């Protein structure tokens, strides 16, 4: 009897060993298909020279606001736009106006319903003698002298109905599309006015002038007959309108392009997609498409990894490891081997929020709050175990909040459980008072080293609004960060009734658009983009203007650095390759140049146009 038991136990042991060997062989086979290569960390060199006294005049931008909500909002928005483009500015008070020095390179920016408080004679004299004035948010009910100064021939009251859309009468920056009256991106409050014939109109809405320039005396005025200058979505537009006022104007660009594959690897779903199983569609159609786009447009992917798509938190690390084996190894290793990054999207797709955070739930979107922080930390650590099982030499550094929602308790749980995280990538555009986690490009105020790097675009080039937003972010500081999902084709709202081929064509059209208009954007992982943008923001760049030359000098500036140069004086720059770098005309522009700087001190000589 004892021998029978021993024999039976031996047979069971052999069978178990066979299963283990077979399982290990299967895993090893998958691993061998995509061996993990050693990835070299990318660093961004800087260059600089001693900031000595130099000839030429710097740009001076004086910001004047009062205590009104509109004025503060518009001027705050402009501060961000100037900081992102590395353009210096200063804050002034009303009593400082009389001491302003008129100059073609001195721009006074005012905004809001308080023109009656401004000393007309002082500001008129400033412009008449050569200064530049930007009225960054419309005002009404003032004496005609004010209207004459800014190029308004006749002004009635405010138009009662809110105006929608935006039309470009002249190009402000290449790539912006017109927005129809059905588009809800902007809501304008405008004056009913007619312009003087000499005014140069750039933007309108429903045949009402929105933004124009006007020569007055030796100076020049820009005017925004709207309230959209308070909106983050118009920062690039406002910056570009400022560049129209001096004879020449330099704006700096970070030159960054980030491509996210969100909800990655794909959710496990039942059913068919375009006459095949969902898993087969993702592997043989969707993945092949994004790989072709990567090769064609030199993209680098950051995949935002998720543990499970269950709402509940019932799965432990071992179960996650078993469940996610194929997609982690097959897709994850391909991303890493092609120079990409794997970021964290969460244990599951429920945002890190507890009821006590009090975050509102927008209509049509609900989430299940977590019970307490300790559970969040436990599940985040289990997701890290899943990650380390397949990629033991990697660490989570970038985090994408599920549904772009993150509560203060969740942020604490994230940083306490995963201190390696140094980037949170949520949304750049959106309502601050809503449920979404809206960000600026800057360091966190509570956690040292944690950087906020929001995404500026999503989808497959679906609407004119999408193109407008991605263009505006580029027009401000040259950053494009975009995400799509493997299951976009099966999502009714995101697919909008389109086939995958149609969605792919839209996505390729968007990347073709980027490579055509903004070829200086460099494809990077999220971590590389963090490093480059921080280096860009911390650089010190000085620009001096003369009648026929612009001198750009920098300390710790990126090598190479990108500057956009606008000339408004009937002059031009010679294009081509030079010892200091390259100069090229920006596509669809006659007076806007892309200048690539490979030296820390460069003088650009301007040539007179030959008629």
């Amino acid at each position: 009897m004892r021998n029978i038991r021993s024999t039976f136990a031996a047979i069971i042991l052999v069978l178990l060993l066979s299963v283990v060997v077979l399982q290990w062989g299967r895993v090893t086979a998958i691993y061998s298909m995509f061996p993990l290569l050693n990835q070299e960390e990318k660093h961004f060199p800087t260059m600089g020279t001693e900031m000595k006294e130099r000839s030429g005049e710097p740009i001076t931008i004086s910001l004047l606001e009062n205590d009104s909500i509109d004025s503060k909002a518009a001027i705050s928005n402009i501060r961000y736009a100037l900081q992102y483009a590395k353009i210096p500015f200063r804050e002034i008070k009303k009593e400082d106006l009389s001491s302003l020095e008129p100059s073609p390179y001195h721009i006074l920016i005012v905004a809001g319903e308080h023109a009656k408080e401004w000393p007309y004679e002082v500001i008129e004299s400033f412009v008449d003698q050569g200064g530049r004035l930007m009225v960054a948010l419309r005002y009404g009910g003032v004496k005609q002298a004010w209207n004459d100064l800014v190029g308004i021939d006749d002004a009635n009251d405010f138009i009662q109905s809110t105006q929608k859309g935006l039309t470009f009468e002249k190009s402000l920056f290449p790539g912006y599309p017109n927005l129809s009256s059905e588009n809800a991106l902007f809501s304008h409050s405008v004056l009913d006015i007619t312009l003087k014939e000499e005014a140069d109109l750039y933007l309108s809405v429903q045949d009402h002038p929105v933004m124009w320039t006007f020569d007055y005396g030796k100076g020049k005025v820009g005017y925004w007959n709207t309230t959209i200058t308070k909106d983050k979505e118009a920062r690039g537009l406002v910056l570009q309108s400022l560049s129209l006022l001096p004879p020449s104007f330099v704006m700096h660009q970070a030159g960054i392009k980030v491509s996210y594959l969100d909800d990655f690897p794909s959710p496990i779903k039942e059913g068919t997609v375009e006459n095949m199983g969902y898993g087969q569609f993702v592997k043989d159609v969707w993945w092949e498409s994004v790989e072709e786009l990567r090769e064609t447009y030199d993209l680098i992917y950051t995949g935002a990894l998720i543990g499970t798509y269950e709402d509940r938190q019932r799965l432990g690390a071992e179960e996650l490891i078993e469940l996610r084996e194929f997609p982690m190894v097959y897709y994850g290793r391909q991303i890493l081997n092609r120079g990409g990054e794997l970021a964290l999207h969460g244990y599951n797709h429920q945002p890190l929020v507890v009821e006590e955070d009090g975050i509102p739930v927008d209509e049509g979107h609900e989430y299940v709050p977590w019970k307490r922080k300790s559970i969040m930390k436990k599940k985040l650590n289990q997701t890290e175990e899943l990650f380390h099982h397949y990629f033991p030499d990697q660490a989570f550094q970038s985090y994408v909040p599920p549904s772009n929602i993150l509560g203060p308790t969740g942020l604490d749980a994230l940083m306490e459980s995963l201190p390696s995280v140094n980037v949170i990538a949520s949304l750049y555009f959106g309502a601050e008072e809503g449920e979404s986690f809206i960000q600026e490009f800057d360091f966190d105020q509570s956690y040292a080293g944690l950087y906020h790097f929001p995404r500026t675009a999503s989808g497959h080039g679906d609407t004119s609004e999408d193109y407008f937003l991605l263009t505006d972010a580029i027009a401000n500081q040259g950053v494009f960060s975009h995400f799509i999902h493997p299951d976009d084709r099966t999502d009714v709202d995101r697919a909008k009734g389109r086939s995958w081929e149609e969605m792919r064509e839209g996505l390729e059209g968007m990347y073709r658009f980027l490579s055509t208009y903004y070829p200086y954007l460099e494809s990077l992982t999220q971590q590389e983009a963090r490093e480059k943008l921080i280096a860009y923001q911390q650089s010190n760049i000085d620009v001096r203007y003369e009648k026929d030359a612009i001198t750009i000098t920098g300390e710790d500036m990126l090598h190479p650095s990108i500057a956009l140069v606008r000339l408004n004086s009937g002059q031009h720059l010679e294009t081509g390759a030079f010892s200091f770098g390259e100069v090229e005309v920006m596509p669809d522009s006659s007076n806007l140049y892309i200048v690539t700087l490979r030296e820390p001190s460069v003088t650009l000589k301007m040539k007179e146009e030959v008629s």
Side-chain angles (χ1 to χ4, degrees):
M1 187 71 178
R2 183 178 300 171
N3 290 337
I4 294 175
R5 288 176 180 171
S6 300
T7 303
F8 182 75
I11 293 172
I12 294 298
L13 180 61
V14 169
L15 290 173
L16 288 173
L17 289 172
S18 299
V19 171
V20 169
V21 169
L22 288 172
Q23 181 72 3
W24 176 252
R26 184 167 66 89
V27 172
T28 303
I30 296 175
Y31 268 68
S32 63
M33 289 170 60
F34 304 104
L36 188 58
L37 306 178
N38 292 325
Q39 299 296 314
E40 293 185 4
E41 187 176 355
K42 187 166 187 172
H43 293 284
F44 298 91
T46 59
M47 56 183 177
T49 188
E50 187 177 351
M51 305 291 268
K52 298 178 180 179
E53 190 72 24
R54 55 183 50 83
S55 61
E57 182 179 354
I59 199 80
T60 300
I61 296 183
S62 298
L63 302 178
L64 176 65
E65 70 176 25
N66 77 345
D67 292 331
S68 70
I69 294 175
D70 283 350
S71 180
K72 286 183 174 296
I75 296 298
S76 174
N77 214 32
I78 292 169
R79 283 193 201 97
Y80 274 110
L82 294 172
Q83 288 170 345
Y84 286 153
K86 301 203 68 65
I87 297 170
F89 60 89
R90 63 181 187 175
E91 316 278 346
I92 66 168
K93 303 294 184 182
K94 186 174 71 171
E95 51 267 28
D96 299 322
L97 289 171
S98 58
S99 62
L100 297 184
E101 291 290 336
S103 163
Y105 292 99
H106 189 169
I107 305 174
L108 168 63
I109 302 179
V110 298
E113 285 293 323
H114 52 285
K116 293 178 181 179
E117 301 175 13
W118 303 331
Y120 167 78
E121 289 77 10
V122 172
I123 294 179
E124 188 274 341
S125 176
F126 171 78
V127 178
D128 188 51
Q129 295 180 52
R132 270 44 179 173
L133 171 66
M134 174 61 75
V135 179
L137 192 146
R138 87 286 180 275
Y139 55 73
V142 297
K143 58 185 179 182
Q144 182 58 37
W146 273 112
N147 294 335
D148 291 337
L149 173 62
V150 300
I152 296 175
D153 186 52
D154 185 44
N156 299 311
D157 206 346
F158 291 100
I159 296 175
Q160 295 302 309
S161 60
T162 300
Q163 304 296 299
K164 300 283 190 179
L166 197 63
T167 300
F168 287 82
E169 305 293 343
K170 287 187 176 183
S171 175
L172 259 180
F173 184 80
Y176 278 110
N178 290 327
L179 300 176
S180 72
S181 58
E182 284 77 37
N183 193 288
L185 180 59
F186 293 123
S187 296
H188 305 265
S189 171
V190 301
L191 285 164
D192 183 12
I193 60 172
T194 56
L195 297 181
K196 295 182 181 294
E197 290 184 4
E198 299 85 357
D200 207 358
L201 181 62
Y202 283 84
L203 297 171
S204 65
V205 57
Q206 301 300 293
D207 296 324
H208 299 292
V210 166
M211 189 271 148
W212 64 88
T213 62
F214 181 69
D215 293 333
Y216 184 94
K218 296 180 181 179
K220 194 172 186 178
V221 178
Y223 193 103
W224 282 87
N225 177 32
T226 178
T227 50
I228 70 168
T229 49
K230 300 184 297 182
D231 299 340
K232 181 187 281 192
E233 294 83 354
R235 283 180 184 170
L237 276 182
V238 173
L239 175 68
Q240 295 302 321
S241 72
L242 288 175
S243 75
L244 301 171
L245 299 183
S248 53
F249 194 84
V250 176
M251 302 159 280
H252 297 282
Q253 296 263 293
I256 291 171
K257 179 166 57 180
V258 181
S259 299
Y260 264 100
L261 304 179
D262 207 12
D263 288 353
F264 184 87
S266 175
I268 300 172
K269 292 186 176 182
E270 302 289 337
T272 60
V273 184
E274 301 196 0
N275 299 318
M276 67 187 77
Y278 177 77
Q280 182 186 358
F281 168 78
V282 171
K283 180 176 178 291
D284 296 338
V285 178
W286 181 84
W287 180 250
E288 290 300 316
S289 295
V290 297
E291 276 290 276
E292 289 171 4
L293 292 174
R294 179 189 61 79
E295 293 179 0
T296 303
Y297 296 98
D298 190 30
L299 306 177
I300 299 177
Y301 291 131
T302 297
L305 179 150
I306 203 159
T308 173
Y309 286 83
E310 291 189 6
D311 292 345
R312 295 181 296 164
Q313 298 105 29
R314 66 181 183 87
L315 300 179
E318 292 183 1
E319 294 165 301
L320 292 177
I321 289 168
E322 182 179 355
L323 178 68
R324 303 298 274 165
E325 177 188 321
F326 172 77
M328 288 288 289
V329 174
Y330 183 83
Y331 298 114
R333 285 182 171 259
Q334 289 190 71
I335 283 185
L336 292 175
N337 285 340
R338 287 156 175 75
E341 177 188 350
L342 291 179
L344 172 64
H345 195 30
Y347 166 82
N348 60 12
H349 210 276
Q350 293 304 316
L352 295 179
V353 172
V354 295
E355 289 185 0
E356 292 78 9
D357 289 333
I359 294 178
V361 178
D362 289 345
E363 183 179 352
H365 177 220
E366 293 186 3
Y367 56 83
V368 180
W370 294 68
K371 291 183 179 180
R372 53 188 177 273
K373 184 170 73 171
S374 61
I375 299 177
M376 292 180 183
K377 294 173 65 174
K378 178 181 178 181
K379 293 302 175 180
L380 287 170
N381 285 328
Q382 289 176 346
T383 311
E384 186 181 38
E385 286 185 53
L386 161 69
F387 184 55
H388 280 162
H389 178 82
Y390 294 108
F391 310 108
D393 297 329
Q394 304 288 318
F396 283 133
Q397 292 182 280
S398 305
Y399 175 69
V400 179
S403 302
N404 300 302
I405 302 171
L406 178 62
T409 306
L411 177 58
D412 290 340
L414 175 70
M415 299 309 297
E416 290 169 16
S417 58
L418 301 174
S420 60
V421 169
N422 61 17
V423 165
I424 295 180
S426 189
L427 295 179
Y428 183 59
F429 299 113
E432 297 281 354
E433 66 275 8
E435 65 177 12
S436 295
F437 191 72
I438 307 300
Q439 301 172 288
E440 296 291 346
F441 294 90
D442 59 13
F443 281 101
D444 189 78
Q445 295 182 356
S446 300
Y447 290 97
L450 179 61
Y451 192 78
H452 294 272
F453 198 114
R455 288 164 291 159
T456 62
S458 64
H460 301 74
D462 304 329
T463 66
S464 57
E465 179 176 315
D466 294 331
Y467 274 93
F468 193 101
L469 293 176
L470 72 86
T471 299
D472 196 79
I474 294 170
N476 191 174
Q477 62 175 334
V479 172
F480 170 81
S481 182
H482 169 264
F483 66 99
I484 58 171
H485 312 81
D487 63 336
D488 281 336
R489 174 61 182 85
T490 61
D491 186 278
V492 175
D493 293 332
R494 298 197 294 263
K496 298 180 175 66
R498 294 169 295 175
S499 67
W500 170 247
E501 187 60 32
E502 292 172 314
M503 296 174 73
R504 184 196 186 285
E505 288 176 1
L507 187 60
E508 181 164 17
M510 183 190 65
Y511 279 115
R512 188 186 308 116
F513 169 85
L514 291 170
S515 63
T516 299
Y517 286 104
Y518 322 115
Y520 54 88
L521 299 182
E522 182 181 12
S523 286
L524 301 170
T525 67
Q526 179 61 87
Q527 283 297 304
E528 292 168 347
R530 175 190 186 273
E531 182 183 346
K532 186 176 185 182
L533 187 55
I534 291 173
Y536 166 80
Q537 291 179 332
Q538 293 179 346
S539 63
N540 181 17
I541 304 176
D542 179 81
V543 182
R544 300 296 171 114
Y545 299 87
E546 298 178 86
K547 185 176 181 181
D548 59 354
I550 302 171
T551 300
I552 304 174
T553 307
E555 289 180 330
D556 299 322
M557 62 194 298
L558 289 170
H559 182 266
S561 284
I562 300 296
L564 302 185
V565 179
R566 189 186 296 277
L567 302 183
N568 301 305
S569 55
Q571 297 174 306
H572 71 278
L573 296 176
E574 289 188 4
T575 58
F578 303 91
S579 60
F580 63 80
E582 297 84 47
V583 179
E584 56 187 311
V585 178
M586 202 162 192
D588 286 358
S589 174
S590 60
N591 66 340
L592 192 58
Y593 297 84
I594 305 169
V595 180
T596 303
L597 305 172
R598 303 183 189 277
E599 293 181 358
S601 185
V602 174
T603 297
L604 304 172
K605 294 291 187 179
M606 295 181 284
K607 307 290 185 180
E608 296 293 335
E609 294 285 2
V610 179
S611 58

